[in-house]
Short mmCIF file of all heavy atoms in Angstrom, two decimals:
data_model
loop_
_atom_site.label_atom_id
_atom_site.label_comp_id
_atom_site.label_asym_id
_atom_site.label_seq_id
_atom_site.Cartn_x
_atom_site.Cartn_y
_atom_site.Cartn_z
N ALA A 323 -16.04 21.89 -31.83
CA ALA A 323 -16.74 23.05 -32.43
C ALA A 323 -15.78 24.24 -32.58
O ALA A 323 -15.87 24.96 -33.59
CB ALA A 323 -17.98 23.46 -31.53
N GLY A 324 -14.93 24.35 -31.63
CA GLY A 324 -14.01 25.46 -31.57
C GLY A 324 -12.94 25.23 -32.72
O GLY A 324 -12.57 26.27 -33.33
N LEU A 325 -12.55 24.07 -32.95
CA LEU A 325 -11.45 23.67 -33.89
C LEU A 325 -12.13 24.10 -35.42
O LEU A 325 -11.46 24.75 -36.20
CB LEU A 325 -11.11 22.31 -33.85
CG LEU A 325 -10.18 21.91 -32.66
CD1 LEU A 325 -10.14 20.32 -32.60
CD2 LEU A 325 -8.92 22.56 -32.76
N ILE A 326 -13.30 23.62 -35.61
CA ILE A 326 -14.04 23.84 -36.93
C ILE A 326 -14.20 25.31 -37.09
O ILE A 326 -14.02 25.90 -38.22
CB ILE A 326 -15.31 23.09 -36.93
CG1 ILE A 326 -15.06 21.60 -36.93
CG2 ILE A 326 -16.20 23.50 -38.24
CD1 ILE A 326 -16.39 20.64 -36.89
N ALA A 327 -14.76 26.09 -36.05
CA ALA A 327 -14.91 27.52 -36.21
C ALA A 327 -13.59 28.28 -36.48
O ALA A 327 -13.60 29.21 -37.29
CB ALA A 327 -15.58 28.07 -34.93
N ALA A 328 -12.46 27.76 -35.90
CA ALA A 328 -11.15 28.41 -36.04
C ALA A 328 -10.79 28.32 -37.42
O ALA A 328 -10.37 29.24 -38.16
CB ALA A 328 -10.20 27.91 -35.14
N HIS A 329 -10.96 27.11 -38.05
CA HIS A 329 -10.48 26.88 -39.44
C HIS A 329 -11.36 27.63 -40.39
O HIS A 329 -10.91 28.23 -41.29
CB HIS A 329 -10.55 25.43 -39.73
CG HIS A 329 -9.90 24.99 -41.04
ND1 HIS A 329 -10.56 25.09 -42.29
CD2 HIS A 329 -8.76 24.43 -41.36
CE1 HIS A 329 -9.74 24.73 -43.20
NE2 HIS A 329 -8.65 24.29 -42.60
N SER A 330 -12.76 27.68 -40.07
CA SER A 330 -13.69 28.31 -40.94
C SER A 330 -13.35 29.85 -41.01
O SER A 330 -13.59 30.45 -41.97
CB SER A 330 -15.08 28.06 -40.62
OG SER A 330 -15.95 28.80 -41.19
N SER A 331 -12.96 30.37 -39.82
CA SER A 331 -12.77 31.90 -39.67
C SER A 331 -11.66 32.35 -40.47
O SER A 331 -11.65 33.56 -40.83
CB SER A 331 -12.43 32.23 -38.27
OG SER A 331 -11.12 31.76 -37.88
N LYS A 332 -10.84 31.50 -41.03
CA LYS A 332 -9.62 31.92 -41.90
C LYS A 332 -9.83 31.93 -43.50
O LYS A 332 -9.13 32.27 -44.16
CB LYS A 332 -8.45 31.11 -41.54
CG LYS A 332 -8.02 31.27 -40.02
CD LYS A 332 -6.81 30.61 -39.86
CE LYS A 332 -6.25 30.91 -38.35
NZ LYS A 332 -4.99 30.09 -38.09
N GLY A 333 -11.00 31.37 -43.77
CA GLY A 333 -11.42 31.35 -45.24
C GLY A 333 -10.46 30.45 -46.09
O GLY A 333 -10.11 30.82 -47.20
N LEU A 334 -9.98 29.41 -45.44
CA LEU A 334 -8.94 28.55 -46.17
C LEU A 334 -9.63 27.62 -47.10
O LEU A 334 -10.79 27.47 -47.07
CB LEU A 334 -8.17 27.82 -45.09
CG LEU A 334 -7.41 28.62 -44.06
CD1 LEU A 334 -6.86 27.68 -42.94
CD2 LEU A 334 -6.30 29.47 -44.71
N ASN A 335 -8.86 27.05 -48.06
CA ASN A 335 -9.28 26.01 -48.88
C ASN A 335 -9.72 24.88 -48.07
O ASN A 335 -9.10 24.51 -47.01
CB ASN A 335 -8.23 25.53 -49.84
CG ASN A 335 -7.76 26.64 -50.90
OD1 ASN A 335 -8.73 27.48 -51.19
ND2 ASN A 335 -6.61 26.76 -51.37
N GLU A 336 -10.74 24.13 -48.49
CA GLU A 336 -11.31 23.00 -47.68
C GLU A 336 -10.18 22.02 -47.40
O GLU A 336 -10.34 21.29 -46.30
CB GLU A 336 -12.56 22.38 -48.42
CG GLU A 336 -13.36 21.42 -47.61
CD GLU A 336 -14.64 21.06 -48.11
OE1 GLU A 336 -15.53 21.95 -48.14
OE2 GLU A 336 -14.76 19.99 -48.51
N ASN A 337 -9.21 21.69 -48.27
CA ASN A 337 -8.35 20.67 -48.05
C ASN A 337 -7.07 21.04 -47.37
O ASN A 337 -6.21 20.38 -47.25
CB ASN A 337 -8.07 19.99 -49.50
CG ASN A 337 -9.09 19.35 -50.05
OD1 ASN A 337 -9.97 18.59 -49.38
ND2 ASN A 337 -9.23 19.34 -51.36
N GLN A 338 -7.03 22.38 -46.91
CA GLN A 338 -5.91 22.89 -46.21
C GLN A 338 -5.87 22.57 -44.81
O GLN A 338 -6.89 22.78 -44.04
CB GLN A 338 -5.75 24.48 -46.51
CG GLN A 338 -4.40 25.00 -45.92
CD GLN A 338 -4.32 26.52 -46.35
OE1 GLN A 338 -4.90 26.87 -47.29
NE2 GLN A 338 -3.42 27.18 -45.57
N TRP A 339 -4.89 21.92 -44.30
CA TRP A 339 -4.78 21.40 -42.88
C TRP A 339 -4.17 22.49 -42.04
O TRP A 339 -3.26 23.12 -42.48
CB TRP A 339 -3.94 20.17 -42.80
CG TRP A 339 -4.60 18.88 -43.39
CD1 TRP A 339 -4.57 18.65 -44.77
CD2 TRP A 339 -5.49 17.98 -42.86
NE1 TRP A 339 -5.32 17.47 -45.03
CE2 TRP A 339 -5.89 17.00 -43.91
CE3 TRP A 339 -5.94 17.78 -41.55
CZ2 TRP A 339 -6.65 15.96 -43.58
CZ3 TRP A 339 -6.71 16.69 -41.25
CH2 TRP A 339 -7.09 15.74 -42.32
N GLU A 340 -4.66 22.52 -40.80
CA GLU A 340 -3.92 23.42 -39.72
C GLU A 340 -3.93 22.55 -38.46
O GLU A 340 -4.69 21.76 -38.20
CB GLU A 340 -4.63 24.73 -39.55
CG GLU A 340 -4.45 25.71 -40.61
CD GLU A 340 -4.71 27.08 -40.21
OE1 GLU A 340 -5.73 27.27 -39.53
OE2 GLU A 340 -3.90 27.90 -40.55
N LYS A 341 -2.81 22.84 -37.63
CA LYS A 341 -2.68 22.14 -36.39
C LYS A 341 -2.92 23.08 -35.35
O LYS A 341 -2.42 24.19 -35.16
CB LYS A 341 -1.20 21.69 -36.38
CG LYS A 341 -0.98 20.81 -35.06
CD LYS A 341 0.55 20.37 -34.83
CE LYS A 341 0.92 19.41 -35.99
NZ LYS A 341 0.21 18.12 -35.77
N TYR A 342 -3.86 22.64 -34.37
CA TYR A 342 -4.26 23.46 -33.15
C TYR A 342 -3.99 22.73 -32.01
O TYR A 342 -4.09 21.46 -31.99
CB TYR A 342 -5.83 23.75 -33.31
CG TYR A 342 -6.14 24.76 -34.48
CD1 TYR A 342 -6.73 24.19 -35.67
CD2 TYR A 342 -5.99 26.02 -34.33
CE1 TYR A 342 -7.05 25.08 -36.74
CE2 TYR A 342 -6.30 26.90 -35.32
CZ TYR A 342 -6.90 26.40 -36.64
OH TYR A 342 -7.26 27.19 -37.55
N ALA A 343 -3.91 23.44 -30.89
CA ALA A 343 -3.69 22.77 -29.53
C ALA A 343 -4.91 23.09 -28.60
O ALA A 343 -5.41 24.02 -28.72
CB ALA A 343 -2.53 23.45 -28.92
N ILE A 344 -5.23 21.91 -27.95
CA ILE A 344 -6.39 22.04 -27.02
C ILE A 344 -5.84 21.65 -25.67
O ILE A 344 -5.16 20.70 -25.47
CB ILE A 344 -7.45 21.04 -27.38
CG1 ILE A 344 -8.04 21.37 -28.71
CG2 ILE A 344 -8.64 21.14 -26.36
CD1 ILE A 344 -8.71 22.70 -28.85
N VAL A 345 -6.13 22.43 -24.61
CA VAL A 345 -5.78 22.12 -23.33
C VAL A 345 -7.09 21.73 -22.46
O VAL A 345 -8.03 22.47 -22.51
CB VAL A 345 -5.09 23.33 -22.59
CG1 VAL A 345 -4.96 23.05 -21.00
CG2 VAL A 345 -3.63 23.60 -23.18
N THR A 346 -7.05 20.56 -21.84
CA THR A 346 -8.17 20.11 -21.05
C THR A 346 -7.64 20.02 -19.69
O THR A 346 -6.67 19.46 -19.19
CB THR A 346 -8.52 18.69 -21.50
OG1 THR A 346 -8.90 18.74 -22.95
CG2 THR A 346 -9.91 18.32 -20.76
N LEU A 347 -8.54 20.68 -18.77
CA LEU A 347 -8.25 20.69 -17.38
C LEU A 347 -9.04 19.74 -16.48
O LEU A 347 -10.24 19.49 -16.73
CB LEU A 347 -8.51 22.11 -16.79
CG LEU A 347 -7.70 23.32 -17.48
CD1 LEU A 347 -8.32 24.64 -17.31
CD2 LEU A 347 -6.31 23.24 -16.83
N ILE A 348 -8.33 19.06 -15.72
CA ILE A 348 -8.89 17.86 -14.90
C ILE A 348 -8.94 18.19 -13.36
O ILE A 348 -7.85 18.65 -12.85
CB ILE A 348 -8.09 16.58 -15.13
CG1 ILE A 348 -7.94 16.31 -16.65
CG2 ILE A 348 -8.67 15.44 -14.40
CD1 ILE A 348 -6.88 15.36 -16.91
N ASN A 349 -10.08 18.06 -12.75
CA ASN A 349 -10.03 18.19 -11.37
C ASN A 349 -9.60 16.88 -10.75
O ASN A 349 -10.26 15.92 -10.77
CB ASN A 349 -11.55 18.47 -10.77
CG ASN A 349 -11.65 18.57 -9.34
OD1 ASN A 349 -10.65 18.55 -8.62
ND2 ASN A 349 -12.83 18.70 -8.89
N CYS A 350 -8.42 16.94 -10.16
CA CYS A 350 -7.76 15.74 -9.68
C CYS A 350 -8.09 15.16 -8.20
O CYS A 350 -7.57 14.27 -7.82
CB CYS A 350 -6.25 15.91 -9.78
SG CYS A 350 -5.65 16.07 -11.43
N ARG A 351 -8.92 15.94 -7.51
CA ARG A 351 -9.14 15.64 -6.13
C ARG A 351 -9.53 14.15 -5.78
O ARG A 351 -9.05 13.52 -4.88
CB ARG A 351 -10.27 16.57 -5.61
CG ARG A 351 -9.75 18.01 -5.34
CD ARG A 351 -10.95 18.93 -4.96
NE ARG A 351 -10.57 20.22 -4.71
CZ ARG A 351 -10.15 21.15 -5.52
NH1 ARG A 351 -10.19 20.84 -6.85
NH2 ARG A 351 -9.76 22.49 -5.25
N SER A 352 -10.27 13.55 -6.66
CA SER A 352 -10.85 12.20 -6.42
C SER A 352 -9.82 11.15 -6.82
O SER A 352 -9.92 10.02 -6.50
CB SER A 352 -12.07 11.94 -7.25
OG SER A 352 -11.87 12.01 -8.67
N ILE A 353 -8.57 11.56 -7.45
CA ILE A 353 -7.67 10.65 -7.84
C ILE A 353 -6.30 10.78 -7.19
O ILE A 353 -5.28 10.27 -7.65
CB ILE A 353 -7.52 10.46 -9.48
CG1 ILE A 353 -7.21 11.87 -9.98
CG2 ILE A 353 -8.78 9.85 -10.00
CD1 ILE A 353 -7.04 11.90 -11.38
N LEU A 354 -6.23 11.63 -6.17
CA LEU A 354 -5.05 11.80 -5.42
C LEU A 354 -4.86 10.89 -4.30
O LEU A 354 -5.74 10.17 -3.99
CB LEU A 354 -5.06 13.33 -5.06
CG LEU A 354 -5.12 14.45 -6.02
CD1 LEU A 354 -5.14 15.85 -5.43
CD2 LEU A 354 -3.79 14.32 -6.92
N ASP A 355 -3.68 10.93 -3.58
CA ASP A 355 -3.50 10.11 -2.48
C ASP A 355 -2.95 10.95 -1.31
O ASP A 355 -1.75 11.40 -1.39
CB ASP A 355 -2.38 9.01 -2.90
CG ASP A 355 -2.03 8.13 -1.70
OD1 ASP A 355 -2.93 8.09 -0.77
OD2 ASP A 355 -0.94 7.45 -1.84
N PRO A 356 -3.62 11.22 -0.27
CA PRO A 356 -5.02 10.79 -0.08
C PRO A 356 -6.01 11.48 -0.97
O PRO A 356 -5.80 12.57 -1.42
CB PRO A 356 -5.23 10.99 1.38
CG PRO A 356 -4.45 12.20 1.70
CD PRO A 356 -3.20 11.98 0.90
N VAL A 357 -7.23 10.82 -1.15
CA VAL A 357 -8.39 11.39 -1.87
C VAL A 357 -8.80 12.72 -1.03
O VAL A 357 -8.86 12.67 0.12
CB VAL A 357 -9.47 10.45 -2.10
CG1 VAL A 357 -10.73 11.17 -2.63
CG2 VAL A 357 -9.12 9.36 -2.94
N LEU A 358 -8.97 13.80 -1.87
CA LEU A 358 -9.45 15.04 -1.14
C LEU A 358 -10.95 15.19 -1.49
O LEU A 358 -11.34 14.74 -2.54
CB LEU A 358 -8.69 16.31 -1.80
CG LEU A 358 -7.16 16.22 -1.64
CD1 LEU A 358 -6.44 17.49 -2.25
CD2 LEU A 358 -6.68 16.05 -0.11
N SER A 359 -11.49 15.85 -0.57
CA SER A 359 -13.07 16.13 -0.70
C SER A 359 -13.27 17.00 -1.93
O SER A 359 -12.50 17.80 -2.31
CB SER A 359 -13.70 16.70 0.50
OG SER A 359 -13.06 17.91 0.76
N PRO A 360 -14.48 16.92 -2.60
CA PRO A 360 -14.70 17.69 -3.81
C PRO A 360 -14.54 19.15 -3.53
O PRO A 360 -14.31 19.90 -4.47
CB PRO A 360 -16.13 17.29 -4.08
CG PRO A 360 -16.45 15.95 -3.49
CD PRO A 360 -15.56 15.93 -2.26
N ASP A 361 -14.80 19.60 -2.27
CA ASP A 361 -14.75 21.10 -2.02
C ASP A 361 -13.48 21.53 -1.32
O ASP A 361 -13.37 22.60 -0.78
CB ASP A 361 -15.97 21.60 -1.22
CG ASP A 361 -16.16 20.86 0.12
OD1 ASP A 361 -15.33 19.87 0.36
OD2 ASP A 361 -16.97 21.13 0.88
N PHE A 362 -12.47 20.59 -1.31
CA PHE A 362 -11.20 20.98 -0.60
C PHE A 362 -10.58 22.16 -1.24
O PHE A 362 -10.33 22.19 -2.54
CB PHE A 362 -10.28 19.71 -0.65
CG PHE A 362 -9.21 19.88 0.28
CD1 PHE A 362 -9.21 19.37 1.64
CD2 PHE A 362 -7.90 20.47 0.01
CE1 PHE A 362 -8.17 19.48 2.51
CE2 PHE A 362 -6.87 20.52 0.87
CZ PHE A 362 -7.02 20.08 2.14
N PRO A 363 -10.33 23.27 -0.49
CA PRO A 363 -9.76 24.49 -1.10
C PRO A 363 -8.42 24.38 -1.57
O PRO A 363 -7.48 23.61 -0.90
CB PRO A 363 -9.82 25.46 0.07
CG PRO A 363 -9.78 24.58 1.28
CD PRO A 363 -10.45 23.28 1.00
N GLY A 364 -7.98 24.94 -2.59
CA GLY A 364 -6.69 24.95 -3.20
C GLY A 364 -6.67 24.83 -4.66
O GLY A 364 -7.84 24.93 -5.32
N PHE A 365 -5.56 24.65 -5.22
CA PHE A 365 -5.52 24.39 -6.74
C PHE A 365 -5.09 22.94 -7.02
O PHE A 365 -4.00 22.54 -6.75
CB PHE A 365 -4.48 25.27 -7.48
CG PHE A 365 -4.63 25.20 -8.96
CD1 PHE A 365 -5.47 26.10 -9.61
CD2 PHE A 365 -3.93 24.32 -9.69
CE1 PHE A 365 -5.61 25.92 -11.07
CE2 PHE A 365 -4.00 24.19 -11.04
CZ PHE A 365 -4.88 24.92 -11.75
N TYR A 366 -6.12 22.08 -7.44
CA TYR A 366 -5.89 20.80 -7.55
C TYR A 366 -6.33 20.24 -8.95
O TYR A 366 -6.79 19.11 -9.08
CB TYR A 366 -6.46 19.92 -6.50
CG TYR A 366 -5.85 20.18 -5.10
CD1 TYR A 366 -6.50 21.08 -4.25
CD2 TYR A 366 -4.56 19.72 -4.82
CE1 TYR A 366 -5.95 21.35 -3.03
CE2 TYR A 366 -3.95 20.10 -3.64
CZ TYR A 366 -4.65 20.92 -2.69
OH TYR A 366 -4.06 21.27 -1.53
N HIS A 367 -6.20 21.11 -9.96
CA HIS A 367 -6.46 20.74 -11.35
C HIS A 367 -5.05 20.46 -11.99
O HIS A 367 -3.98 21.02 -11.58
CB HIS A 367 -7.10 21.89 -12.07
CG HIS A 367 -8.56 21.96 -12.01
ND1 HIS A 367 -9.14 22.19 -10.73
CD2 HIS A 367 -9.58 21.66 -12.87
CE1 HIS A 367 -10.52 22.17 -10.95
NE2 HIS A 367 -10.81 21.88 -12.15
N SER A 368 -5.18 19.53 -12.99
CA SER A 368 -3.93 19.34 -13.85
C SER A 368 -4.40 19.51 -15.32
O SER A 368 -5.60 19.61 -15.53
CB SER A 368 -3.50 18.01 -13.66
OG SER A 368 -2.20 17.82 -14.35
N ALA A 369 -3.50 19.61 -16.17
CA ALA A 369 -3.78 19.86 -17.63
C ALA A 369 -3.20 18.84 -18.54
O ALA A 369 -2.11 18.28 -18.25
CB ALA A 369 -3.27 21.29 -18.00
N ILE A 370 -3.80 18.50 -19.65
CA ILE A 370 -3.42 17.74 -20.73
C ILE A 370 -3.50 18.54 -21.95
O ILE A 370 -4.54 19.07 -22.31
CB ILE A 370 -4.28 16.43 -20.80
CG1 ILE A 370 -3.89 15.47 -19.73
CG2 ILE A 370 -3.95 15.70 -22.16
CD1 ILE A 370 -4.62 14.16 -19.71
N LEU A 371 -2.38 18.60 -22.73
CA LEU A 371 -2.32 19.32 -23.96
C LEU A 371 -2.36 18.29 -25.05
O LEU A 371 -1.40 17.39 -25.17
CB LEU A 371 -1.06 20.18 -24.11
CG LEU A 371 -0.96 21.10 -25.22
CD1 LEU A 371 -0.18 22.42 -24.90
CD2 LEU A 371 -0.26 20.44 -26.50
N ASN A 372 -3.27 18.40 -25.99
CA ASN A 372 -3.40 17.64 -27.22
C ASN A 372 -3.34 18.41 -28.40
O ASN A 372 -3.89 19.64 -28.29
CB ASN A 372 -4.62 16.76 -27.27
CG ASN A 372 -4.59 15.61 -26.08
OD1 ASN A 372 -5.51 15.61 -25.18
ND2 ASN A 372 -3.57 14.78 -26.05
N THR A 373 -2.88 17.95 -29.42
CA THR A 373 -2.86 18.69 -30.79
C THR A 373 -3.77 17.88 -31.78
O THR A 373 -3.82 16.68 -31.72
CB THR A 373 -1.48 18.87 -31.34
OG1 THR A 373 -0.88 17.60 -31.69
CG2 THR A 373 -0.57 19.69 -30.40
N HIS A 374 -4.37 18.80 -32.70
CA HIS A 374 -5.31 18.12 -33.65
C HIS A 374 -5.12 18.75 -35.11
O HIS A 374 -4.94 19.98 -35.17
CB HIS A 374 -6.76 18.30 -33.28
CG HIS A 374 -6.99 17.58 -31.95
ND1 HIS A 374 -7.23 16.29 -31.82
CD2 HIS A 374 -7.11 18.18 -30.74
CE1 HIS A 374 -7.47 16.06 -30.44
NE2 HIS A 374 -7.40 17.09 -29.90
N ASP A 375 -4.96 18.00 -36.15
CA ASP A 375 -4.94 18.46 -37.40
C ASP A 375 -6.31 18.59 -37.98
O ASP A 375 -7.18 17.66 -37.98
CB ASP A 375 -4.12 17.49 -38.28
CG ASP A 375 -2.62 17.49 -38.01
OD1 ASP A 375 -2.03 18.55 -37.75
OD2 ASP A 375 -2.09 16.39 -37.81
N VAL A 376 -6.69 19.83 -38.44
CA VAL A 376 -8.06 20.06 -38.87
C VAL A 376 -8.10 20.67 -40.29
O VAL A 376 -7.26 21.43 -40.66
CB VAL A 376 -8.75 21.18 -37.96
CG1 VAL A 376 -10.18 21.41 -38.30
CG2 VAL A 376 -8.61 20.66 -36.57
N LYS A 377 -9.07 20.17 -41.15
CA LYS A 377 -9.29 20.71 -42.42
C LYS A 377 -10.68 21.11 -42.66
O LYS A 377 -11.57 20.65 -41.74
CB LYS A 377 -8.85 19.85 -43.59
CG LYS A 377 -9.66 18.51 -43.55
CD LYS A 377 -9.08 17.54 -44.71
CE LYS A 377 -9.99 16.31 -44.78
NZ LYS A 377 -11.47 16.56 -45.08
N GLY A 378 -11.09 21.79 -43.69
CA GLY A 378 -12.43 22.15 -43.98
C GLY A 378 -13.28 20.96 -44.26
O GLY A 378 -12.73 19.99 -44.83
#
Side-chain angles (χ1 to χ4, degrees):
L325 292 171
I326 293 173
H329 191 280
S330 174
S331 70
K332 298 185 177 182
L334 303 171
N335 294 330
E336 189 166 291
N337 293 324
Q338 187 169 341
W339 293 83
E340 289 204 308
K341 183 182 292 291
Y342 293 99
I344 303 292
V345 169
T346 307
L347 295 162
I348 306 164
N349 180 5
C350 295
R351 286 171 174 79
S352 64
I353 53 177
L354 296 176
D355 178 19
V357 170
L358 302 179
S359 64
D361 59 354
F362 195 87
F365 190 91
Y366 297 102
H367 275 69
S368 186
I370 287 178
L371 186 148
N372 294 118
T373 61
H374 301 280
D375 294 315
V376 181
K377 66 178 179 62

